[in-house]
Amino acid sequence: MQNPISRLFSLLILLLFSTLALAAQIPEKSPNDDNQYRFIELDNGLKVILVSDEDADKAAASMNVAVGSGDDPAEREGLSHFLEHMLFLGTEKYPDPGEYQQFIKSHGGQHNAFTAFQDTNYFFDVQAEFLEPALDRFAQQFSAPLFTAELVDRERNAVHSEFSAKQKDDGRRFYSVKKAVSNPDHAFSHFAVGNLSTLENTEANPLRPDLIEFWNQHYSSNIMSLAVYGPETLDELESMVRGRFDAIENRNLETKRHVASLYRSDELPAKVTAEALKDVRSLSLTFPIPSQEANYRTKPASYVANLLGHEGPGSLFDVLKRAGLAESLSAGLGMDTGENATLEISISLTPEGLARHEDILPLVFDYIEKIRQKGISEQRFLEMQNLARIDFRFREQGNPLHEAMRLSRYLQDYPAEDVLRAPWLVERFAPEQYRDILDRLTPDNLLAFVLAPEPELENPNRTDWYEAAWAREPLDPTTLRSQSLPELAAQLRLPPENPFVPEDLAMVPGKTMAQPTQLATIEGMDVWFARDTRFDTPKANVFVGLRTPATRASARSYVLTQLLVDAINTNLNAWAYSASLAGLDYSVYPHLRGITVRVGGYNDKLHTLMNRILLQVAAPELTEQRFEITRQQLIDGLQNKAKDRPVEQTSEFIQTSLIEGAWPTDAKLRAAREVSFEELRSFSEALLSQVDPVMMAHGNLTEASTLNLARQIDAIVLGNSELVRVARSQVRQLPDSETLVSIDVDHPDTGYTLYMQGDNTSFEERARFRLLAQIISSPFYEEIRTNRQMGYIVYATPFEMLETPALGFVVQSPSASPAEIDQAVQEFSNSFEETLSALTAERLDREKQAVISKLLERDRQLGEISSRYWREIDRGMDTFDSRQQLANAIKQVGKPQLLETFRKAVLERKQALEVVTGGNGLKANRALGRLTELPPVPAS
């Protein structure tokens, strides 16, 4: 028999181990996080993190599989991506290939997946009360997928359409160049998307056996990680997971190690020049470095990148921008395989910067040397650590879907106890690690990429599948070490101590207000105020709307407004960059009624930032150099629109032709080419001579501080302005028949957008179109994309603009003509009438609730609420209840009303605008002439 002391000792040991085990199951979270968390590992080795949010109205799940394009067999490039597509299309328990999508959509959710180099992530969200049946369907995809034979050939066409849709995308083309110049012994060099050639499916080379073999050899529960987010208790969530996900087979696999170097050291240093189709110019510096995954607690790469990418006075970017050579600069980790990584500096260049890019490279090394000599200091580390701790302390929750995706991925990279805090962990000053990275940022270890339109390459190489032109040439390290721009090198400075680090993080007294109230009208400016402390974050958002007729008088006014706003932002950038690092952010942006200034973040020093911005808005410093750079940028951007994807161009035509105050691209392009610097000066001086001002302050602010800000605005900006009323833009009403427009687009795919407009802007009409879009979207996708295989980009959507209801059908096809697409859409529409007529009351209620759940989804961040309040003020909706009114209207929609709307809008195409690429419709200019003369859609 055990003696009492021995028993007591045993109990204490048992209690200690139980406590340790429990602690290991509960990740450390932000003090501002009310959610409950639990980490478990199932018997099959599946790692799971559970998130219980008792107030959640949306639930979500994400499964991350540590398998990606880097695992593709050499003879089957794109197979992991193809497997990602096939998992959705039927399981043993739910064999219908469209069942999962329909279930999620009908219950207010969305689903998707993506394939990366080492991971494939599957995810969904849904109305919270339907989490369990959604998980039942989701789990089956990983334990019992069917890989139905007849769907294999159909889905490889969908993958090919996805490939085809982006063949002229500069991002994809440039990525193909990066693959082409990488080490051929590294899996990164392989084609990742897949197409009809790599996914060949013939009697001699059948695809399905290879697909099943790949699944058997690569998918295993022990290399998967699952995140589930819902309102249930942790015990209830765990119960949902066990018994479903433990059915996934554990094949005891190990993740693939990519030990080969990403780039061959004997080919460095080198410069690779690649051709862009659009007018884009960039210089990217890639440095191979060791993997940084093990250094997540010290983040040396972040320390170095923060200095390299700083934008304050004297920074590399500031010096380049003031010299007229660069438009943007970023620095950070590129790829990290766990074996090797890259640190990358990406610079967007001006035309002059492109011409002088060989001079810029030595300047970058001058700045790196300055960091090496004087950039490593404990004071800088402590500031970085302090800001990270403040951000973690006051972290606001993301939506359930994003949280689930983030956590499922993090479980692959971090220990369970750190999974919530890993991105913010900066535990100690690690100068030896900082130096280790800086020692690799040398001219001998550089691969520079130049992306430019028409780069004059002699006998260029062409990438596989994308036909992107490129050439590689060696670089001389000695040249890279020489000072080619000494006058610029002399201006380089490391950043000083950040003056915007918040000190007063207290919450203001008083309850959160249900909605904004009009606090005052100061010199004609309505001042709206809403104290809001519901998230326990000492943050606020302040909006200042400067509505003026000057910005929308003509296409020329549009161009001048863009140029002026760019000058304001350019003048602010270097000074305000430190504020952005310290949790403040701002934007000055143009819109249909004028310009808006928004400042947000920690309220402690918000007024200092706002004051500086207002001074710039009131009296912007204009230079001819900046004017010419921005004007060229604007011209490039407008010319690039002609190279956008076909459906982007068809949809933009609809918006341009129907929204009052929107101007066609060719008119804006003409104005941009003609406008002068003196015109900009005159426009700047006259911009605020007539103004319709409004302000809103929301968050951790008092009435007194809000009124002080309002007086500041009045004194600095409004001055001698004449008060006028600037009405909102409206949408033009289409004629009582279908209008067909054909636009010319240089792309092999066909673009098709059918816009079906409502009769008025009432809540009742908007409700009918929202509900119709909800019910029709999944069947439209299933028929046009899955069954007919017309293209990868296929969707039906509520195409609402400025509260004008509409339904949109969008298709981009690599194989079908406009007439063939429209024929398929008409056939679908005719057959869907029967489906809609047979809709049960129960199904209709379910679809209504799905729309309402999205509409009334719970706010999780202060900024979401601020933006909604600001939109209501813009609409003149001082009851701040548009969402609720629309939700109430959706509840009242009956099947007869829905059928009437469907027949009129979809079958008869009353008030419809069909825009296609190619085809036999009205030409764009002629159509614009007619459409822009139409009256606005009435209110009721």
Side-chain angles (χ1 to χ4, degrees):
M1 182 176 173
Q2 203 174 25
N3 68 52
I5 293 177
S6 177
R7 279 189 64 195
L8 179 61
F9 181 74
S10 298
L11 284 170
L12 286 172
I13 292 292
L14 181 63
L15 182 62
L16 174 63
F17 277 103
S18 299
T19 304
L20 288 173
L22 184 63
Q25 291 180 345
I26 304 173
E28 187 169 331
K29 64 179 184 176
S30 163
N32 207 42
D33 187 350
D34 292 330
N35 293 344
Q36 300 299 312
Y37 298 87
R38 178 182 295 169
F39 170 76
I40 58 173
E41 187 170 314
L42 303 187
D43 292 341
N44 61 359
L46 177 67
K47 296 186 288 291
V48 184
I49 185 156
L50 307 170
V51 187
S52 173
D53 174 359
E54 64 181 9
D55 298 320
D57 51 0
K58 272 283 174 72
S62 172
M63 177 75 87
N64 196 86
V65 186
V67 174
S69 59
D71 296 89
D72 287 346
E75 69 281 3
R76 280 294 192 196
E77 292 174 309
L79 190 58
S80 57
H81 179 215
F82 181 64
L83 172 57
E84 171 223 304
H85 278 242
M86 287 300 301
L87 276 192
F88 290 125
L89 302 178
T91 61
E92 288 180 9
K93 188 173 181 180
Y94 302 99
D96 182 349
E99 202 277 344
Y100 170 64
Q101 173 175 301
Q102 184 61 59
F103 180 87
I104 297 294
K105 184 73 179 177
S106 292
H107 295 91
Q110 58 185 311
H111 78 91
N112 213 326
F114 64 83
T115 304
F117 180 66
Q118 292 175 285
D119 298 275
T120 306
N121 196 285
Y122 302 83
F123 50 89
F124 73 85
D125 69 5
V126 72
Q127 286 168 249
E129 60 266 39
F130 297 101
L131 174 60
E132 188 162 15
L135 282 175
D136 199 53
R137 289 158 173 80
F138 192 58
Q140 277 276 310
Q141 295 172 10
F142 305 99
S143 60
L146 290 179
F147 301 129
T148 307
E150 55 266 29
L151 295 179
V152 167
D153 205 55
R154 197 172 72 182
E155 202 57 29
R156 64 190 277 272
N157 282 294
V159 170
H160 182 80
S161 294
E162 182 176 351
F163 156 71
S164 174
K166 296 188 177 180
Q167 263 188 297
K168 290 202 168 189
D169 178 271
D170 274 328
R172 282 286 173 95
R173 290 165 57 84
F174 189 37
Y175 196 52
S176 75
V177 172
K178 289 189 169 185
K179 285 175 169 288
V181 301
S182 66
N183 184 351
D185 295 331
H186 197 290
F188 176 68
S189 64
H190 300 164
F191 176 47
V193 180
N195 58 25
L196 289 177
S197 298
T198 67
L199 300 174
E200 178 187 342
N201 188 29
T202 60
E203 285 188 19
N205 190 18
L207 180 56
R208 188 170 183 266
D210 291 350
L211 174 69
I212 293 171
E213 182 183 9
F214 184 83
W215 181 65
N216 282 322
Q217 291 184 354
H218 291 84
Y219 270 46
S220 174
S221 56
N222 71 301
I223 58 169
M224 296 180 180
S225 49
L226 173 70
V228 178
Y229 188 118
E232 294 82 0
T233 66
L234 291 171
D235 287 343
E236 289 167 338
L237 291 171
E238 184 170 342
S239 176
M240 288 182 191
V241 168
R242 293 189 187 275
R244 290 187 171 89
F245 290 90
D246 52 11
I248 303 170
E249 186 177 349
N250 183 0
R251 301 183 175 108
N252 292 303
L253 301 180
E254 292 185 6
T255 56
K256 182 175 179 178
R257 293 182 61 198
H258 299 276
V259 294
S261 58
L262 275 165
Y263 301 101
R264 287 177 168 172
S265 58
D266 59 355
E267 293 180 342
L268 303 179
K271 180 179 78 171
V272 175
T273 304
E275 180 185 33
L277 298 180
K278 290 186 174 183
D279 290 313
V280 292
R281 305 164 192 86
S282 68
L283 172 64
S284 302
L285 289 77
T286 296
F287 298 93
I289 64 172
S291 170
Q292 296 298 303
E293 285 186 0
N295 295 331
Y296 76 93
R297 291 174 175 271
T298 49
K299 297 186 172 52
S302 294
Y303 181 96
V304 172
N306 282 348
L307 289 170
L308 287 169
H310 206 281
E311 297 181 17
S315 65
L316 174 63
F317 173 64
D318 180 54
V319 169
L320 288 171
K321 185 157 188 175
R322 282 191 288 107
L325 303 178
E327 280 305 300
S328 66
L329 184 150
S330 62
L333 266 183
M335 193 171 185
D336 192 333
T337 66
E339 304 286 338
N340 300 283
T342 59
L343 190 137
E344 303 192 356
I345 305 170
S346 299
I347 309 170
S348 173
L349 301 173
T350 64
E352 186 182 354
L354 177 64
R356 300 177 67 186
H357 73 269
E358 290 181 353
D359 294 331
I360 292 173
L361 286 171
L363 191 69
V364 175
F365 287 105
D366 286 337
Y367 196 60
I368 290 171
E369 184 59 28
K370 193 170 284 290
I371 294 171
R372 194 178 284 120
Q373 295 299 325
K374 297 182 179 178
I376 298 175
S377 78
E378 193 161 13
Q379 179 272 323
R380 292 187 197 284
F381 160 76
L382 290 171
E383 183 177 281
M384 177 179 163
Q385 183 187 58
N386 184 34
L387 289 172
R389 287 176 173 173
I390 291 171
D391 280 350
F392 185 61
R393 164 70 184 86
F394 295 108
R395 181 177 179 260
E396 293 181 278
Q397 287 296 312
N399 69 49
L401 181 61
H402 292 152
E403 290 294 296
M405 290 171 66
R406 186 175 66 86
L407 292 173
S408 71
R409 180 66 190 85
Y410 284 177
L411 272 182
Q412 297 282 0
D413 295 336
Y414 307 119
E417 63 268 22
D418 288 340
V419 75
L420 298 176
R421 61 175 183 155
W424 293 272
L425 269 180
V426 194
E427 282 190 346
R428 67 175 179 87
F429 181 50
E432 73 289 353
Q433 293 181 357
Y434 312 152
R435 288 194 186 95
D436 182 59
I437 289 176
L438 286 165
D439 286 346
R440 296 167 195 272
L441 307 188
T442 63
D444 306 276
N445 193 39
L446 169 68
L447 182 57
F449 290 92
V450 176
L451 180 64
E454 301 175 358
E456 297 182 3
L457 302 174
E458 290 186 22
N459 302 314
N461 302 290
R462 297 273 175 182
T463 62
D464 292 339
W465 309 118
Y466 292 92
E467 289 291 306
W470 64 276
R472 174 167 41 196
E473 60 186 284
L475 289 172
D476 180 1
T478 306
T479 304
L480 294 173
R481 290 186 178 96
S482 64
Q483 273 200 357
S484 54
L485 297 170
E487 72 285 1
L488 297 188
Q491 298 172 29
L492 293 172
R493 301 282 184 277
L494 292 175
E497 190 174 340
N498 192 331
F500 285 99
V501 176
E503 297 166 277
D504 181 1
L505 295 167
M507 304 303 296
V508 299
K511 292 182 180 178
T512 292
M513 296 164 60
Q515 64 184 52
T517 182
Q518 191 171 332
L519 204 58
T521 299
I522 296 178
E523 298 298 327
M525 178 174 68
D526 291 342
V527 180
W528 293 90
F529 168 73
R531 181 178 50 255
D532 196 329
T533 56
R534 75 186 79 178
F535 299 116
D536 292 322
T537 55
K539 296 181 180 180
N541 291 294
V542 178
F543 291 77
V544 181
L546 300 170
R547 305 162 181 166
T548 168
T551 60
R552 70 183 198 190
S554 63
R556 210 175 189 90
S557 302
Y558 165 89
V559 166
L560 287 164
T561 305
Q562 298 286 328
L563 294 170
L564 183 60
V565 167
D566 173 84
I568 293 167
N569 282 317
T570 297
N571 295 337
L572 289 168
N573 186 73
W575 181 84
Y577 183 74
S578 293
S580 69
L581 294 179
L584 281 166
D585 63 277
Y586 74 95
S587 56
V588 181
Y589 58 91
H591 49 81
L592 287 167
R593 294 173 91 178
I595 63 173
T596 288
V597 176
R598 185 196 62 79
V599 178
Y602 296 112
N603 57 276
D604 179 31
K605 296 176 181 177
L606 183 148
H607 62 286
T608 306
L609 180 58
M610 176 62 88
N611 185 271
R612 183 67 171 259
I613 294 170
L614 293 174
L615 288 169
Q616 265 302 318
V617 171
E621 299 163 30
L622 304 175
T623 67
E624 199 150 2
Q625 180 204 50
R626 187 63 208 166
F627 165 78
E628 290 297 347
I629 290 170
T630 311
R631 189 168 72 96
Q632 186 58 53
Q633 224 181 357
L634 192 55
I635 289 169
D636 290 346
L638 291 166
Q639 288 178 158
N640 286 342
K641 285 187 176 293
K643 297 168 187 172
D644 284 344
R645 288 186 300 184
V647 290
E648 290 175 330
Q649 296 193 52
T650 54
S651 296
E652 177 160 325
F653 179 89
I654 291 167
Q655 295 172 56
T656 299
S657 61
L658 295 183
I659 296 176
E660 294 175 349
W663 303 98
T665 299
D666 59 351
K668 292 187 284 193
L669 193 53
R670 192 163 51 249
R673 286 173 173 149
E674 294 172 354
V675 74
S676 70
F677 179 60
E678 286 309 314
E679 261 186 281
L680 179 61
R681 274 193 190 284
S682 301
F683 182 79
S684 172
E685 290 166 5
L687 177 68
L688 299 178
S689 60
Q690 292 184 313
V691 68
D692 179 5
V694 63
M695 170 196 165
M696 183 194 77
H698 171 238
N700 192 49
L701 293 168
T702 62
E703 294 184 8
S705 62
T706 299
L707 289 172
N708 283 337
L709 273 170
R711 293 187 188 101
Q712 212 176 329
I713 294 161
D714 177 54
I716 297 173
V717 177
L718 301 181
N720 301 316
S721 301
E722 176 192 348
L723 294 174
V724 294
R725 299 303 298 171
V726 179
R728 285 188 90 214
S729 291
Q730 293 178 278
V731 173
R732 299 180 179 102
Q733 186 170 38
L734 288 166
D736 198 20
S737 60
E738 183 178 7
T739 303
L740 174 62
V741 178
S742 296
I743 62 174
D744 295 324
V745 172
D746 179 20
H747 195 287
D749 287 8
T750 300
Y752 172 98
T753 302
L754 177 61
Y755 168 87
M756 296 153 279
Q757 191 180 71
D759 288 339
N760 55 64
T761 62
S762 67
F763 285 109
E764 292 74 21
E765 185 78 345
R766 289 171 64 194
R768 288 191 282 270
F769 274 83
R770 286 282 183 100
L771 186 54
L772 183 58
Q774 163 68 24
I775 294 168
I776 209 169
S777 61
S778 284
F780 181 81
Y781 178 91
E782 179 78 7
E783 177 62 20
I784 304 299
R785 183 190 182 279
T786 308
N787 294 337
R788 296 186 183 241
Q789 288 292 297
M790 287 205 136
Y792 173 69
I793 302 171
V794 173
Y795 57 92
T797 182
F799 206 132
E800 189 171 293
M801 302 184 294
L802 299 175
E803 294 80 60
T804 298
L807 177 65
F809 289 161
V810 180
V811 181
Q812 183 170 314
S813 176
S815 56
S817 68
E820 288 168 334
I821 296 172
D822 193 55
Q823 179 65 31
V825 168
Q826 288 191 44
E827 288 171 4
F828 162 78
S829 302
N830 290 332
S831 65
F832 190 73
E833 182 179 18
E834 186 178 336
T835 304
L836 198 58
S837 298
L839 204 66
T840 64
E842 180 186 8
R843 169 77 188 281
L844 182 60
D845 284 343
R846 192 173 76 208
E847 301 289 2
K848 284 182 185 180
Q849 192 51 47
V851 181
I852 291 168
S853 73
K854 288 181 192 173
L855 194 61
L856 300 181
E857 191 169 343
R858 177 184 141 211
D859 297 306
R860 296 175 177 276
Q861 298 183 354
L862 188 73
E864 295 172 355
I865 305 168
S866 301
S867 296
R868 189 175 76 250
Y869 285 162
W870 187 242
R871 287 193 299 271
E872 294 282 59
I873 288 169
D874 180 61
R875 294 175 184 134
M877 184 64 70
D878 58 10
T879 53
F880 295 92
D881 63 348
S882 290
R883 291 196 312 170
Q884 191 59 57
Q885 287 198 53
L886 185 53
N888 293 342
I890 289 166
K891 289 178 185 175
Q892 301 305 315
V893 177
K895 190 163 78 172
Q897 297 167 300
L898 201 59
L899 275 165
E900 181 188 356
T901 298
F902 172 78
R903 287 167 182 150
K904 183 177 178 181
V906 180
L907 295 182
E908 300 171 24
R909 296 193 181 180
K910 298 287 182 75
Q911 295 162 197
L913 176 57
E914 180 186 335
V915 184
V916 298
T917 59
N920 301 311
L922 279 171
K923 293 304 174 187
N925 286 340
R926 191 174 169 202
L928 273 171
R930 291 187 187 180
L931 294 169
T932 53
E933 296 298 317
L934 295 170
V937 174
S940 59

